[in-house]
């Protein structure tokens, strides 16, 4: 368990703001073992009273358990099927070559250190999405106000939560502070995690909502078409009736899928800034070059100051 001076886990809200997660480690007992698992019966009422359990009243929120991030989902039987879904800190790797600097990183550095062959975790993605959102607010505040870089935990809840919970999460994403739907472009990471297994691959979904009656969804998968069915289901929940597979450079190893989707997000944001009404042909990424070293340097840098006058 982190010491009292450690920074708690956080998620990135729909406006790009870091949101501190409540740590409920004190509720689960000393014998808690990390991993996706059913919510113990004795915790159901406690979580409900703390407004952490998915319900008709609340959009489900991620929580922290002893410094690790979890989301909570309900199955077909409602509370009886409540599940903790573990979103592990970036420690799972295809080999043991992360290096001491990564394995010994404190919780204060969560998401800052990325090893040479390390798979990206939610913390890496949240941190880089915070960077790209802040950068866009500085360079193109109009596009920033119309664009959402969605927390991967919220994307998971959109795809796997009950219809009513997914709808509330969707409204939370697309509405600005005044309650107006101002989201033209949504960037969402797709993962093959489920209520019973942890995921091991990332792909990217870009939803163009400029015509809210007929949103268009574009899917980028560096191991295509591994995520086509999952991405199709997510696109449908976001109002897009069809999914358009897009050209995407292929990864040549087993660990760079997350680097590809983050660099794809940055390249697409750059193209949207250059071409306000992009054509489908201009959104292919067959020649994308994923740069792990550049991502490592971004993650280690201090976040740029936020322009308080920009953004929703």
């Amino acid at each position: 368990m982190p010491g009292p001076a450690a920074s708690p886990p956080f998620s990135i809200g729909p406006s790009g703001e870091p949101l501190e997660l409540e740590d409920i480690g004190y509720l689960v007992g000393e014998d808690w073992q990390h991993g996706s698992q059913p919510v113990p019966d004795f915790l159901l009422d406690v979580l409900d009273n703390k407004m952490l359990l998915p319900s008709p009243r609340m959009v489900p929120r991620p929580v922290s358990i002893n410094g690790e991030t979890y989301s909570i989902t309900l199955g077909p039987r409602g509370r009886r099927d409540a599940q903790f879904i573990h979103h592990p800190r970036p420690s799972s790797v295809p080999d043991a070559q992360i290096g001491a600097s990564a394995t010994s990183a404190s919780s204060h550095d969560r998401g800052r250190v990325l090893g040479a062959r390390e798979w990206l975790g939610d913390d890496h993605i949240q941190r880089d999405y915070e960077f790209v959102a802040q950068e866009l607010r500085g360079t193109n505040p109009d596009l920033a106000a119309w664009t959402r870089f969605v927390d991967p935990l919220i994307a998971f809840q959109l795809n796997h939560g009950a219809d009513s919970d997914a709808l509330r999460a969707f409204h939370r994403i697309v509405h600005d502070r005044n309650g107006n739907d101002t989201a033209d472009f949504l960037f969402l990471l797709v993962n093959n995690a489920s209520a019973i297994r942890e995921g091991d691959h990332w792909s990217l979904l870009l939803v163009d909502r400029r015509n809210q009656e007929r949103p268009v969804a574009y899917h980028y998968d560096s191991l295509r078409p591994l995520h086509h069915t999952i991405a199709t289901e997510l696109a449908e929940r976001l109002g897009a009736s069809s999914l358009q597979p897009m050209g995407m450079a292929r990864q040549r190893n087993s660990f760079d899928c997350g680097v590809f989707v983050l660099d794809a997000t940055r390249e697409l944001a750059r193209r949207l800034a250059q071409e306000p009404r992009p054509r489908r042909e201009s959104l292919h990424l067959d020649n994308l070059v994923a740069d792990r070293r550049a991502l490592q340097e971004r993650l280690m840098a201090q976040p740029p100051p936020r322009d308080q006058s920009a953004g929703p």
Side-chain angles (χ1 to χ4, degrees):
M1 181 181 297
S7 296
F10 65 92
S11 64
I12 302 302
S15 65
E17 290 296 311
L19 305 174
E20 184 175 317
L21 303 186
E22 179 172 357
D23 197 310
I24 60 170
Y26 67 97
L27 294 173
V28 300
E30 295 181 356
D31 59 348
W32 174 265
Q33 297 293 319
H34 285 301
S36 298
Q37 55 196 279
V39 176
D41 289 343
F42 72 87
L43 270 183
L44 291 173
D45 287 337
V46 177
L47 294 175
D48 199 13
N49 290 337
K50 294 173 72 66
M51 295 186 290
L52 295 173
L53 196 68
S55 75
R57 305 190 304 274
M58 293 293 297
V59 173
R61 293 189 290 124
V63 298
S64 174
I65 299 179
N66 298 337
E68 294 280 337
T69 303
Y70 286 79
S71 55
I72 305 173
T73 64
L74 300 183
R77 297 187 301 163
R79 286 164 53 106
R80 293 185 179 181
D81 286 336
Q83 292 274 338
F84 281 124
I85 306 301
H86 186 207
H87 303 271
R89 290 169 56 183
S91 59
S92 299
V93 292
D95 54 37
Q97 301 180 15
I98 299 179
S101 63
T103 55
S104 63
S106 70
S107 60
H108 179 70
D109 288 330
R110 184 176 293 114
R112 294 188 67 191
V113 177
L114 177 65
R117 298 168 65 88
E118 186 178 359
W119 289 335
L120 269 68
D122 291 346
D123 296 319
H124 294 127
I125 291 163
Q126 290 166 349
R127 184 170 177 81
D128 202 48
Y129 263 16
E130 180 183 5
F131 272 88
V132 72
Q134 290 172 329
E135 291 165 6
L136 192 60
R137 282 192 288 267
T139 60
N140 195 324
D142 288 338
L143 178 60
W146 306 327
T147 303
R148 305 290 188 271
F149 301 97
V150 180
D151 176 352
L153 292 179
I154 300 299
F156 177 86
Q157 292 162 355
L158 281 169
N159 213 13
H160 297 279
D163 289 346
S164 57
D165 295 327
L167 180 61
R168 282 188 294 276
F170 172 72
H171 287 161
R172 176 182 169 191
I173 291 167
V174 301
H175 288 165
D176 63 15
R177 295 184 180 124
N178 298 318
N180 300 314
D181 186 340
T182 58
D184 283 351
F185 300 105
L186 308 179
F187 287 90
L188 306 98
L189 270 72
V190 183
N191 193 274
N192 57 350
S194 71
I196 59 174
R197 70 182 297 271
E198 296 174 2
D200 57 11
H201 181 59
W202 297 106
S203 63
L204 176 67
L205 190 70
L206 168 61
V207 182
D208 182 345
R209 302 180 66 248
R210 287 171 297 167
N211 181 350
Q212 294 187 9
E213 298 298 321
R214 300 186 65 182
V216 180
Y218 303 108
H219 186 218
Y220 300 84
D221 193 338
S222 56
L223 286 178
R224 57 183 183 271
L226 184 62
H227 274 176
H228 181 76
T229 299
I230 302 170
T232 298
E233 294 170 352
L234 179 56
E236 289 176 350
R237 280 202 155 182
L238 295 169
S241 59
S242 63
L243 183 71
Q244 299 188 27
M246 300 296 288
M248 176 68 153
R250 290 291 189 102
Q251 65 186 83
R252 298 182 179 180
N253 54 46
S254 62
F255 48 83
D256 265 344
C257 57
V259 183
F260 271 82
V261 295
L262 290 178
D263 283 353
T265 298
R266 288 178 167 272
E267 176 60 22
L268 289 169
R270 185 187 69 81
R271 295 186 188 183
L272 291 176
Q274 291 181 339
E275 187 178 351
R277 302 194 66 82
R279 297 168 289 107
R280 182 178 186 273
E281 293 76 15
S282 67
L283 295 178
H284 288 293
L285 296 176
D286 300 274
N287 298 319
L288 179 75
V289 177
D291 190 339
R292 176 175 284 258
R293 177 55 63 91
L295 174 60
Q296 290 172 318
E297 293 175 354
R298 290 199 305 271
L299 294 175
M300 287 298 295
Q302 294 299 318
R306 183 186 177 193
D307 179 359
Q308 296 292 341
S309 65

